[in-house]
Amino acid sequence: MLLLFLVFPPPGPLAVEAFVGGYGINYGRIANNIPSPDKVVELLRRAKIRNVKIYDADHSVLDAFKGSGINLVIAIPNELVKDMAANTSRSMDWLNQNVQPYLPQTRIVGITVGNEVLGGQDQSLYQPLVDAVKNVYDGLKRLHLESKIELFTPHSEAVFATSYPPSACVFKEELMAYMKPLLDFFAMIGSPFYVNAYPFLAYISDPEHIDINYALFKPNKGIVDPNTSLHYDNMFDAQIDAAYAALHAAGYDDMEVRVAETGWASSGDQNEAGASSENARTYNFNLRKRLFLRTGTPLKPKRPVKAYIFALFNENQKPGAGSERHYGLFLPDGRISYDIGVSGLLPSSASSSMLFIKKVRAGGWILHYWATVLLCIFILLGP
C-alpha cells in the first residue's frame, strides 16, 4: 500500500500552465468603441485563442472570463509600482481585491509588474520595480499561489546596449544595478524573461537598410551572425536570440525568453514606413504560422517560441504615433481586420463576398443540373 502511495500520489492541486501552446494575444482597452468583455470572451473562443494578457485588473474583465477556461495574465500598471514597493501589506491588499476572489473560476495564471520600466523615461521607477516584484511574490506565497501564478515584467528593446548581430547583444551597463537583482530573483522563482519584440519598429527606424521581407517573414537572403555562423531568415527570431545572448552574457543561461508583445501596424503617420494593412496581414499571418509550428530559434532550436500578439483591437484613444492606434486583429464590431486564418464574431466583408460568390456558383450549378434533368425527361417522353 505504501509503494502504491509513492508511485501514485493522491490527486491534489497542480501548478497552472501559464502559457498553453505558443500563441497568445494582448487585450488592450484604451478605446471607446470596442466590444464588451463578455463579447470579447465569445470572440476569443471563436478565434480559438487560449492565452490573453491585459494591462490592468479590471473587474468587469475578470468577471467576464469566469468559466471561460482561457489563460489570463493581469497587470499591476506602472502607476502602482511605487505603491507596491512601499510595503507588503499594499501588495496583499491588491491580491486580495483582484486575484483571490476570482480564483479558480477565472483562470488567472500570471501577473505582470509594470511594463517597459527599465530603460524607460521615468527612472524613479527603476528601484521600486525590483522591490514591487519581491513584495507581490511574498503576497502570492502567503496565499499559497506562488506555484500557480507566474510573475514577470516585460522589457522593451531599450534595455539592450546593442542587438546586432544577435550574439553581440548585452544589457546596458547603467541598467545592471536594477536588472541583475531582478534577474537573480526571477531565476530563483523560475520566471521567464519577457521582451516586447517589434520588427515593425526596427524597420521604421531604418527602412533604407533593413529588408522589409526579412521583417515580414517573407523570402529573403537573411543574415548570418559572424560570431556563431547561425543563419536568420527573419528578424523576429534574431530579436529573441539577441535577448538570449544578453542573458548569457549576464550569466543567466537557463532563463527562457518569451515575447510579451509583437505586432505590425495596419496604418500610421507618413513617416512610419511599412504601416499598411497588407504588411500587417503578412506579418501576423506568417507569425501565427511560425508560432503554431512550435519550433525554437537558431540559437535555441529545442525551446519553442511563445508570444503574445499585439493586439486584439485597434485602440482609438491611445496616445502617441498614428501606428499606436492600428495594431488590432479585429474591428470594433468583432469582424477580422484582415484574414490571417482566425474567425471573428461576424464575417468580414471579404469573407461575405466570397460566401456570396460561392452561393451564386452553387446556385448556378443546381440550375444547370435541373435544366439537364428536364431536358432528359422531355427527350424520353417526346414523340
Side-chain angles (χ1 to χ4, degrees):
M1 189 68 179
L2 177 61
L3 180 61
L4 288 173
F5 178 80
L6 292 174
V7 178
F8 302 105
L14 299 175
V16 171
E17 174 56 52
F19 202 123
V20 177
Y23 191 86
I25 200 159
N26 287 282
Y27 170 23
R29 304 189 322 282
I30 307 176
N32 61 7
N33 60 352
I34 59 177
S36 60
D38 60 316
K39 287 290 185 183
V40 169
V41 170
E42 182 184 348
L43 172 62
L44 293 166
R45 282 174 164 165
R46 290 199 183 186
K48 297 180 180 178
I49 296 173
R50 301 170 65 189
N51 305 290
V52 177
K53 185 162 72 70
I54 61 176
Y55 293 89
D56 53 23
D58 186 272
H59 288 189
S60 66
V61 176
L62 298 181
D63 284 329
F65 274 71
K66 282 182 179 177
S68 69
I70 297 170
N71 283 353
L72 183 65
V73 174
I74 64 176
I76 295 171
N78 289 0
E79 56 266 26
L80 292 182
V81 165
K82 288 182 180 179
D83 201 16
M84 296 295 158
N87 54 70
T88 54
S89 63
R90 182 62 190 97
S91 61
M92 277 300 299
D93 290 343
W94 190 90
L95 292 169
N96 282 324
Q97 292 169 14
N98 302 296
V99 177
Q100 185 77 341
Y102 293 94
L103 296 173
Q105 291 87 356
T106 300
R107 195 175 170 86
I108 300 172
V109 297
I111 298 172
T112 63
V113 182
N115 184 48
E116 298 188 340
V117 172
L118 297 186
Q121 293 183 344
D122 190 354
Q123 296 184 19
S124 70
L125 289 177
Y126 289 6
Q127 183 57 49
L129 174 66
V130 180
D131 299 332
V133 166
K134 293 179 179 179
N135 284 344
V136 174
Y137 184 75
D138 286 344
L140 290 173
K141 284 190 72 173
R142 291 186 188 184
L143 296 171
H144 306 290
L145 296 173
E146 76 276 11
S147 64
K148 299 179 180 181
I149 294 180
E150 190 174 81
L151 195 64
F152 62 94
T153 185
H155 300 284
S156 73
E157 297 281 331
V159 299
F160 304 125
T162 181
S163 59
Y164 183 85
S167 62
C169 185
V170 292
F171 292 112
K172 288 179 177 176
E173 186 61 36
E174 62 268 27
L175 295 179
M176 287 307 293
Y178 314 100
M179 183 65 80
K180 188 178 188 318
L182 200 58
L183 293 176
D184 282 343
F185 189 75
F186 284 145
M188 182 185 73
I189 67 175
S191 289
F193 180 87
Y194 274 86
V195 63
N196 295 339
Y198 283 93
F200 169 68
L201 297 180
Y203 174 74
I204 64 174
S205 70
D206 192 11
E208 293 184 4
H209 298 99
I210 296 176
D211 182 358
I212 194 169
N213 295 318
Y214 178 63
L216 291 172
F217 299 94
K218 294 176 74 174
N220 66 96
K221 65 179 182 180
I223 67 160
V224 175
D225 189 312
N227 301 320
T228 62
S229 297
L230 293 174
H231 178 262
Y232 293 88
D233 60 11
N234 69 84
M235 188 185 294
F236 178 75
D237 281 4
Q239 289 182 328
I240 294 172
D241 277 355
Y244 274 122
L247 289 171
H248 169 73
Y252 303 91
D253 284 327
D254 295 331
M255 188 170 288
E256 179 185 359
V257 173
R258 293 182 187 172
V259 177
E261 290 182 15
T262 187
W264 197 284
S266 59
S267 183
D269 298 330
Q270 286 188 343
N271 63 340
E272 295 184 296
S276 71
S277 293
E278 181 57 30
N279 287 341
R281 192 206 70 81
T282 299
Y283 181 80
N284 283 296
F285 177 83
N286 289 335
L287 174 65
R288 183 171 181 266
K289 183 169 63 174
R290 186 253 178 275
L291 293 174
F292 272 79
L293 290 175
R294 303 288 286 120
T295 56
T297 62
L299 184 63
K300 301 284 186 178
K302 295 182 179 179
R303 181 169 276 174
V305 175
K306 299 181 178 184
Y308 290 96
I309 312 308
F310 191 85
L312 194 57
F313 300 107
N314 289 338
E315 296 176 78
N316 66 346
Q317 295 182 316
K318 199 168 184 184
S323 60
E324 290 288 345
R325 295 176 287 282
H326 293 94
Y327 278 95
L329 297 187
F330 294 91
L331 300 173
D333 61 4
R335 289 180 297 142
I336 56 174
S337 296
Y338 36 77
D339 187 10
I340 63 166
V342 297
S343 300
L345 289 175
L346 297 169
S348 68
S349 55
S351 300
S352 299
S353 299
M354 288 304 298
L355 184 62
F356 175 74
I357 291 170
K358 288 178 181 178
K359 286 182 177 179
V360 169
R361 286 176 177 171
W365 182 86
I366 292 170
L367 184 63
H368 178 75
Y369 170 81
W370 282 111
T372 304
V373 170
L374 289 172
L375 179 62
C376 290
I377 293 172
F378 177 78
I379 292 172
L380 290 172
L381 297 178

